[in-house]
Amino acid sequence: MSSAKLVPINNIASSEHAADQIRTAIIQGVFKPGDRLIEKNLTDQLNISRHPIREALRRLSQEGLVDMRPNRGAVVAKLDPASILEVYAIRSALGELALKALQSHADLPSPEVMKVLEKKATAAVRLAGQDNQQATILNDLEFQETIIVASGLERCARYFAETTVEVQRFNNLSGIVYTERASDAQTYVVGLLDAIKARDIERALSIWKDKFAKAVTRYLAQLEQGKPAAKASKKSSIC
């Protein structure tokens, strides 16, 4: 027999695995807002001891996906208008920082990053004509994150990634209907890419801020109409 030793998964790896699994279930709506996350059930499903589960739940609490409540334990956080608007505001502000960082460094974005952005822009136009909007949402989020990461601002990228999780959850649970995917792709993806290529920081910032302002306007309009998010159609695009 080989003398190689098998290394058991440690508590840190176990908690990361648990956090990934629970996070995905929350984003996809398997665990719904208000659901209790009972440690015993989670340990049985994931075949992991309670300590890593507790660490995972604490991490998800820091991400805003889980509420830790006295006498109730961990509960899936609810989606409320204030938190959604806050997420949009944070993403808009982080994007401004990233775009300004790109402008101040002549070698950014790199040629490799520009190829990725061009690929995402081409995909945005193509996907806008398809019925399945999930691909559009994913492509748009990846386009945004590519810009943020390209700035080299590590904290900015980390915070932006954390809010992306909340946007994914919002899109999966909400019923906001966006009917302008083709024009959105041209304005907010192709247009932003063109501004970055031209190193036109004012135009890039204007497009970026308008993108999130429009998302907020659409969301508030839906609230005014009094359409319950859980019952409305699940079509969405700008995120």
Side-chain angles (χ1 to χ4, degrees):
M1 293 182 61
S2 170
S3 60
K5 294 182 179 179
L6 299 179
V7 180
I9 190 168
N10 58 37
N11 278 346
I12 294 177
S14 295
S15 64
E16 290 176 350
H17 173 73
D20 288 343
Q21 294 292 307
I22 299 169
R23 183 187 298 108
T24 299
I26 292 173
I27 290 172
Q28 294 177 347
V30 177
F31 294 141
K32 302 183 184 305
D35 283 355
R36 288 186 63 199
L37 299 173
I38 301 172
E39 289 183 9
K40 178 63 167 61
N41 294 345
L42 296 173
T43 59
D44 290 345
Q45 292 180 52
L46 294 170
N47 194 28
I48 295 174
S49 65
R50 286 203 174 190
H51 180 70
I53 292 293
R54 289 169 185 165
E55 288 298 319
L57 293 175
R58 275 195 284 269
R59 177 179 303 185
L60 295 175
S61 175
Q62 293 174 347
E63 294 178 10
L65 296 178
V66 171
D67 288 334
M68 305 300 290
R69 299 181 181 177
N71 303 321
R72 287 201 68 193
V75 178
V76 178
K78 294 183 178 180
L79 285 172
D80 61 89
S83 63
I84 294 169
L85 296 179
E86 182 181 8
V87 165
Y88 282 138
I90 291 171
R91 291 174 73 80
S92 180
L94 292 175
E96 290 185 51
L97 290 174
L99 288 170
K100 289 176 180 177
L102 291 178
Q103 178 68 17
S104 63
H105 294 81
D107 58 335
L108 295 178
S110 68
E112 292 76 18
V113 169
M114 288 305 302
K115 288 180 181 179
V116 173
L117 292 175
E118 288 169 354
K119 183 178 179 180
K120 296 297 179 186
T122 299
V125 175
R126 173 174 53 82
L127 294 171
Q130 298 183 3
D131 292 335
N132 183 358
Q133 298 189 25
Q134 291 304 311
T136 292
I137 294 170
L138 178 60
N139 185 75
D140 190 41
L141 292 175
E142 290 176 347
F143 178 79
Q144 295 174 39
E145 288 214 26
T146 300
I147 292 173
I148 305 299
V149 173
S151 71
L153 301 176
E154 294 183 3
R155 291 184 180 83
C156 189
R158 184 169 68 251
Y159 299 151
F160 195 84
E162 290 178 1
T163 62
T164 295
V165 172
E166 296 188 74
V167 171
Q168 289 174 313
R169 181 183 179 218
F170 169 62
N171 275 295
N172 286 333
L173 295 179
S174 73
I176 293 180
V177 177
Y178 297 103
T179 58
E180 305 171 1
R181 286 197 295 149
S183 62
D184 286 345
Q186 289 292 340
T187 301
Y188 300 117
V189 182
V190 176
L192 181 55
L193 175 60
D194 289 343
I196 292 173
K197 283 182 178 179
R199 306 198 70 80
D200 187 342
I201 184 62
E202 294 303 324
R203 181 156 62 101
L205 289 172
S206 176
I207 292 171
W208 182 272
K209 288 188 286 188
D210 184 59
K211 172 184 178 65
F212 290 98
K214 188 172 185 179
V216 168
T217 298
R218 287 169 167 172
Y219 176 61
L220 292 177
Q222 171 111 355
L223 288 181
E224 290 176 2
Q225 292 173 8
K227 296 180 181 178
K231 295 181 180 179
S233 169
K234 289 189 177 181
K235 294 180 181 179
S236 55
S237 88
I238 244 190
C239 17

